[in-house]
Amino acid sequence: MEASTKPKKTIKTIAKSKTAMPEQDPAVRAHNWSEVTLGYTEDQALAEAARCIQCKKPGCIAGCPVAINIPGFIQAIESRDFRKAYDIVAADNVLPAICGRVCPQETQCEALCIVGNKLEPVGIGRLERFVGDLALKNGWSLATSIKRNGHKAAMIGSGPASITCAVDLARAGVEVTIYEALHTAGGVLKYGIPEFRLPKKLIDRELEALQRLGVKIVTNAIIGRLYTIPQLMQEMGYETAFIGVGAGYPNLMGIPGEGFNGIFSANEYLTRVNLMRAYQHPQTDTPTGMGKKVAVIGAGNTAMDACRVSIRMGAENVYCVYRRTKKESPARAEEVHHAEEEGVKFNWLTTPVRILADERGWVRAMECIRMELGEPDESGRARPVPVPGSEFLFEVDTIVYAIGTSANPILAQTTPGLKLNQRGYIDVSPETQMTSIPGVFAGGDIVTGGATVILAMGAGRKAAHAMLQYMGIEAAAQPAHQAK
Amino acid sequence: MFKIAKREQFSPVTYLWKLEAPDIAKAAQPGNFVIVRHGDGGERVPLTIADFDRQAGTITLVIQAVGKTTTSLMDLKEGEYLDDLAGPLGHARHFDKVKKVVCVGGGLGVAPTYPQLRQYKQNGAYTISIMGFRSKDLMFWIDRFKAESDELIIATDDGSFGVKGLVTGPLQEVLDKHQDVDEVLAIGPAIMMRACVAVTKPRNIKTIVSLNPIMVDGTGMCGGCRVTVGGKMAFACVDGPEFDGLQVDFDELMARAKRFDSSERESMRLFRERCHLPRQSS
């Protein structure tokens, strides 16, 4: 093997920290919509790949929801065989350029990286993005000669769960149609994640690759309204269907004043900006209707997106308001850091209890209360407890709720026999992702509640595997990867 | 892409489209709406379905040019294509057995009243229709309404046809005359529906209103269309668009309709400046 000709890498011989990711300067990027992180150059990728010590028993793979052969693709980078690196990644992950950007690597693969025990872990996400970007630039896609087998499957929703499921089924010869409710495909990747974090043209290229595999995408098709699931299965000839519609039903807090003007769900706010391109208004038709003093309630990744969008939309002051502290905030550390750099102000241990408006019904302030941390709650995080008498007025003109989403009711209302759990999400078999309706599978946020792109992809993959079995298609027809 | 199979101009600001959309026509029920979107950067606009023909595979929209999008869509000709049409959305109307019903339509609410009126008639109800227009030249579909109504009253703001004034005057008279009205349906601008409810509420007559608040997706995702009904927050797109009018907080609804006024004025100004030239795609 090649490795024997080189001196063996050990934890002592490699660089101690990750190769830095080039970024736009915060002062500049706060005023543009271009991508914040610029991606590794070839030299930087080689330098970072050299930090992987090719462990005999690597931890990273187990941390990846789709079990990418991480040491394998990094070794291919190191030996400058980038095409091979892509083929290794793409065997398990059809969206490397996207996952390299939006996966929470620090709690997944990189958290279990052996190098990370002593030093900074290998920058797996950054390397994955490097490979994914090269593939898009060079038009690489998995070499596949697909033999159609006459089986048909429908995907409901066109986000990461459905895309992954569709690819696995299409590669195995199934005729796949994706039904998307909006006028453009991509789901949360399009409406949720801002341009500066995930350029839309990347998603479009990934979707084009999907169509080259023979997957059909039908937009403007709201399943449950235009066609029902029973119709898909009985009249339209689909043997199986996969529900990957996400959990796009925004939560409000239920405090007085939520009907006033200037209050948005993060879904509405981000959809206006990202999907409808309100940042180009009035060249585009959809405005945001936002003001200059913006409070974003919540501190997850969506909250960070809303904060950073507000900065770029020209808000003078952007406040992130969260009832716990930075330590408990569910956002990725990198996102919080980027938000801080761009001028977002953080108000930890604070929560609104009432919204006040001017005489025309526009938000003028929130009445907030200070919180302190008490005993851990069922999530294991310290429970925030209001401090009596600590109410104060917080003057803002725009409030964005980023406090999570619930299950959209349309499918449940129109699909007799579809079993939900107590939280309203779809109940599935954990082994197969099959719902209470035979042949109908589900995965992603509509099963788990709001989670991450990669977890949705993992569920899509697991469902695809079970759907192939359900249709009686030999698992051998699938490319080699370990469906978990 | 959805073909405009037929187009009629009812007045300088009101026009009808019959769109080829066989699957939507098949699934449509009275009370449903659709979202239309057109052109690069076009916004999503909810419009109530005014009619559907399952055999012909078409749905009918009657559109009033009030903003930039509805004004620019007026330039699309018969035979041309609309980019995006999504629906049917919202709950289908559930019709209780009623013996006598009053259907009130005003302005942009006139056309959407029609499929409901027809359904009431088919269900065997005695139907009284009150349709309001600003003036005689803006009137349309009078024959169709006549065909489905046992009594038809037309009101015009300027008195150029029928009763002069708002629809609420005739509504009051009808309810005085017919003490046995089971139900009132009111579709139109929020201010009209509020005024109708002001008439029906003291009499405690069940009043159904169809709300058309600003929406982005129309599928429950954005929550922009939220409305307070009976003290609780509802989403018009998935919980409505029809609600018990006696329970709706119309003041909030009307305030929320103004959320994007200044931006919309700016869009309209730019549109006029460009003299209706087709927009360049960027």
Side-chain angles (χ1 to χ4, degrees), chain A residues 21-310:
Chain A
M21 175 66 113
E23 285 180 0
Q24 275 199 77
D25 183 81
V28 175
R29 73 184 192 232
H31 304 287
N32 70 43
W33 293 85
S34 305
E35 205 172 359
V36 169
T37 53
L38 305 173
Y40 278 164
T41 61
E42 190 174 313
D43 285 346
Q44 288 166 330
L46 290 170
E48 188 57 25
R51 293 185 67 240
C52 174
I53 56 171
Q54 296 293 324
C55 307
K56 282 215 175 66
K57 287 185 188 156
C60 50
I61 300 178
C64 174
V66 295
I68 295 173
N69 176 2
I70 293 166
F73 94 81
I74 295 182
Q75 191 166 48
I77 294 178
E78 208 182 348
S79 48
R80 292 175 183 263
D81 190 347
F82 301 133
R83 174 68 213 230
K84 183 177 167 195
Y86 169 73
D87 286 342
I88 294 171
V89 175
D92 293 302
N93 182 352
V94 293
L95 308 171
I98 293 173
C99 290
R101 286 169 169 82
V102 303
C103 264
Q105 291 96 7
E106 66 278 8
T107 60
Q108 297 181 352
C109 52
E110 293 180 19
L112 298 177
C113 169
I114 308 284
V115 171
N117 292 339
K118 293 268 162 60
L119 310 170
E120 249 197 298
V122 176
I124 300 167
R126 295 170 181 185
L127 290 171
E128 183 188 26
R129 169 176 167 179
F130 171 75
V131 170
D133 285 356
L134 264 186
L136 287 176
K137 201 171 120 200
N138 296 320
W140 298 339
S141 55
L142 261 202
T144 37
S145 53
I146 296 168
K147 240 201 246 141
R148 285 288 173 84
N149 53 26
H151 293 280
K152 275 177 78 180
M155 307 286 115
I156 305 169
S158 66
S162 289
I163 291 175
T164 309
C165 188
V167 168
D168 281 2
L169 293 179
R171 281 177 181 169
V174 178
E175 189 186 326
V176 181
T177 304
I178 296 182
Y179 292 99
E180 164 57 47
L182 291 169
H183 57 277
T184 172
V188 71
L189 304 172
K190 278 275 179 68
Y191 73 76
I193 303 178
E195 181 72 20
F196 56 84
R197 214 150 71 74
L198 184 62
K200 300 289 163 276
K201 66 170 197 286
L202 274 181
I203 307 158
D204 286 333
R205 288 209 206 126
E206 301 279 22
L207 289 167
E208 283 159 21
L210 193 67
Q211 284 163 298
R212 281 200 298 275
L213 281 178
V215 173
K216 240 173 77 189
I217 300 176
V218 182
T219 52
N220 295 313
I222 302 125
I223 304 304
R225 295 275 191 247
L226 184 64
Y227 318 116
T228 61
I229 289 180
Q231 257 179 307
L232 290 176
M233 305 293 285
Q234 285 148 29
E235 295 168 27
M236 296 168 74
Y238 294 106
E239 295 164 79
T240 57
F242 175 77
I243 306 173
V245 295
Y249 193 77
N251 293 341
L252 304 174
M253 288 184 74
I255 59 175
E258 288 176 342
F260 291 137
N261 292 353
I263 304 165
F264 300 85
S265 71
N267 267 1
E268 177 179 4
Y269 186 64
L270 292 173
T271 300
R272 284 177 176 278
V273 176
N274 301 334
L275 180 75
M276 306 309 292
R277 309 207 311 269
Y279 58 90
Q280 292 169 339
H281 180 81
Q283 259 55 47
T284 55
D285 292 339
T286 306
T288 59
M290 64 184 286
K292 291 288 178 195
K293 280 182 281 183
V294 181
V296 174
I297 316 299
N301 290 320
T302 306
M304 296 310 125
D305 285 344
C307 286
R308 299 173 69 197
V309 158
S310 303

Side-chain angles (χ1 to χ4, degrees), chain B residues 19-38:
Chain B
L19 291 159
E20 271 177 18
D23 292 347
I24 298 179
K26 198 174 151 205
Q29 297 285 347
N32 286 148
F33 66 96
V34 290
I35 296 260
V36 301
R37 200 207 65 85
H38 191 70

Side-chain angles (χ1 to χ4, degrees), chain A residues 434-457:
Chain A
M434 189 151 90
T435 68
S436 54
I437 301 174
V440 178
F441 298 72
D445 285 3
I446 191 58
V447 169
T448 56
T452 60
V453 169
I454 189 69
L455 282 174
M457 292 177 65

